[in-house]
Amino acid sequence: MGSTYESALKKFGKAAELMNLDHGIRKILEHPKRQLIVEFPVTMDDDSIEVFTGYRVQHNVALGPAKGGVRYHPNVSLDEVKSLAFWMTFKCAVMGLPYGGAKGGIKIDPKQYSKKELERVSRRYFSEISIVVGPDKDIPAPDVNTTPDIMAWFMDTYSMNVGYSSMGVVTGKPVGLGGSQGRTEATGRGVSTVAALAAKAKGVDISKMTVAIEGFGNVGKYAALIMSKEKGAKVVALSDSKGAVYNSNGFDIEELMKYKDEHGTISDYPKAESKMSNEELKTLDVDILVPAALENSITPEIAKNVKAKIIVEGANGPLMTGADEILNEKGVLIVPDILANAGGVTVSYFEWVQDLQSFFWKKAQVNSALEEMMNNAFEETWKMKEKYSTDMRTAAYIVAINRVAFATKKRGIYP
Ligand code: NAD
């Protein structure tokens, strides 16, 4: 597989060409501003020492402090973190948030370690990257395999180092410790909102549609819950890393969430009509497909066999280079990651605002502000799509690039 960053640049390049982006601005945006690699030792429960590799990449800060999650996964690499930071710049910009883009990660399989070991890994990592993060500099958040508890350790570690409680240094914290109502389900909620808007654009109400979702983590399970419970869609297929399950009548997502908590996987859920592979899930005859696991999951070969009419990218970068073209040709409406999964960073922004003001909002207020921002961003992207007669991804990039380019030009190039 080629470099994910190169693949990200290609998609960005299509928008840059179409909008005739200034060459200087293009050069700036093609390079991350800062890349930090940390190698740090941690004492294990048996007193042995392991050394871990972690990253923090800040892609761009033209619009404000950098913002982006931290991933714990054995495949984390500088290329992956750079790509994720790159997408964050445009995700924040398409939503109109006053942030730049960043991302972090540790090369680790968290399932292999005890809770105490993970706490020490998390605290040491955050201490190592604290030279570049801060509530006015760079504000981390959860991503794959990182949780509100880990965010609490990050916040405490930073606070211990600076000598006072700094709530605004990370988002996605537990409610009651500077966390925001609605943050946990925010990405899934945003995915559901844009899925309903995409359905409407296709002339069908989402309540008449069937859905398949790859990944039953934070994004996938809340997207499933909200799409079925609040939007009335029929979620007929779901998966996690162990495999997929199918039910033509739709799943009871709350029950499935309980099953996942108890058994660690949904792949052997007894109430499923049938089991299938993740590949089969992606080519099912459904109306909406939501890839919500990891990047590069839909290869060009899979794209050829996709039957869904709408793809909503819950995950970051789920379409491999080449897959976009095939799907666009087939008339599939792709709601791109930088718009579709931006609900998480949007409520992270609300959390940061609440922390800085020490004044907390009710859940209904969070959800309605999120809904409004997702609606606006979808509408702006749709208008851009029509203006340039292009696909939604390119349109979303154009909306975002315009904002970053404006800020960069107004600020000027230092010194
Ligand atoms: P998570 O760790 O909570 O869940 C990941 C899910 O994907 C798990 O159910 C896992 O079993 C499944 N998975 C892993 N490999 C798989 C495979 N090969 N096939 C099928 N399923 C597989 O992570 P998450 O926070 O839900 O993140 C998922 C994606 O969404 C990532 O791309 C992430 O960057 C993106 N994202 C997350 C947020 C957020 O707020 N958490 C926000 C924006 C984007």
Side-chain angles (χ1 to χ4, degrees), residues 71 143 145 183 187 216-219 240-241 278 292-293 314-316 341:
R71 174 175 294 194
D143 190 67
N145 289 326
R183 173 61 184 90
T187 309
F216 200 65
N218 175 275
V219 180
D240 59 26
S241 57
N278 265 298
N316 286 307
N341 69 36

Side-chain angles (χ1 to χ4, degrees), residues 55-375:
Y55 307 90
R56 186 73 189 168
V57 175
Q58 295 165 351
H59 173 258
N60 188 279
V61 292
L63 285 166
K67 184 92 189 81
V70 176
R71 174 175 294 194
Y72 288 3
H73 196 277
N75 296 342
V76 162
S77 64
L78 186 59
D79 178 64
E80 181 182 69
V81 178
K82 255 169 74 178
S83 313
L84 290 159
F86 176 84
W87 288 320
M88 283 308 297
T89 295
F90 303 105
K91 190 179 301 185
C92 293
V94 82
M95 294 305 296
L97 305 178
Y99 288 138
K103 206 82 180 191
I106 306 179
K107 200 171 176 56
I108 183 174
D109 179 0
K111 291 188 186 116
Q112 306 302 318
Y113 298 91
S114 71
K115 193 171 177 205
K116 281 282 158 208
E117 287 170 335
L118 272 185
E119 178 175 347
R120 288 193 290 272
V121 169
S122 302
R123 287 184 179 279
R124 180 65 190 246
Y125 164 74
F126 210 75
S127 202
E128 294 288 342
I129 66 161
S130 67
I131 51 171
V132 297
V133 302
D136 297 317
K137 287 204 252 177
D138 178 1
I139 306 120
D143 190 67
V144 174
N145 289 326
T146 51
T147 58
D149 282 356
I150 294 175
M151 298 307 118
W153 295 329
F154 283 170
M155 184 278 285
D156 184 68
T157 299
Y158 183 82
S159 298
M160 290 299 125
N161 286 342
V162 294
Y164 52 87
S165 289
S166 175
M167 296 302 191
V169 67
V170 288
T171 57
K173 301 180 296 297
V175 171
L177 190 68
S180 176
Q181 294 287 348
R183 173 61 184 90
T184 307
E185 59 274 34
T187 309
R189 180 168 290 284
V191 165
S192 312
T193 304
V194 296
L197 293 168
K200 199 169 152 202
K202 284 268 186 190
V204 186
D205 194 89
I206 191 170
S207 63
K208 310 248 173 342
M209 289 190 157
T210 52
V211 184
I213 303 182
E214 180 200 35
F216 200 65
N218 175 275
V219 180
K221 71 183 172 196
Y222 287 108
L225 183 67
I226 295 163
M227 282 168 101
S228 64
K229 231 182 144 185
E230 295 182 24
K231 310 276 182 201
K234 204 191 277 182
V235 181
V236 296
L238 289 152
S239 73
D240 59 26
S241 57
K242 305 241 164 59
V245 285
Y246 178 78
N247 203 334
S248 57
N249 294 316
F251 285 100
D252 176 335
I253 307 300
E254 270 160 339
E255 209 183 288
L256 207 56
M257 283 164 83
K258 271 190 216 135
Y259 188 85
K260 169 99 181 172
D261 286 345
E262 282 160 20
H263 299 82
T265 175
I266 56 170
S267 62
D268 41 19
Y269 184 57
K271 289 189 189 164
E273 272 170 29
S274 57
K275 292 183 186 184
M276 58 178 66
S277 68
N278 265 298
E279 307 282 297
E280 286 170 299
L281 175 141
K282 287 178 261 192
T283 55
L284 269 178
D285 191 1
V286 289
D287 298 304
I288 305 179
L289 172 64
V290 182
L294 294 171
E295 55 266 29
N296 296 320
S297 109
I298 300 182
T299 61
E301 286 65 39
I302 293 174
K304 281 183 203 147
N305 297 317
V306 163
K307 294 179 197 70
K309 295 159 201 76
I310 297 172
I311 292 183
V312 183
E313 294 186 331
N316 286 307
L319 303 197
M320 208 185 242
T321 311
D324 269 78
E325 290 75 7
I326 295 167
L327 293 162
N328 283 333
E329 205 132 285
K330 283 166 71 164
V332 178
L333 176 60
I334 303 166
V335 188
D337 46 9
I338 59 169
L339 169 63
N341 69 36
V345 70
T346 302
V347 176
S348 271
Y349 164 59
F350 299 158
E351 177 175 333
W352 180 71
V353 167
Q354 292 170 73
D355 287 335
L356 297 186
Q357 299 182 339
S358 295
F359 186 73
F360 289 88
W361 308 358
K362 296 211 158 52
K363 195 177 216 163
Q365 191 180 351
V366 170
N367 288 349
S368 78
L370 171 63
E371 183 93 13
E372 192 184 330
M373 290 188 76
M374 296 299 308
N375 270 306

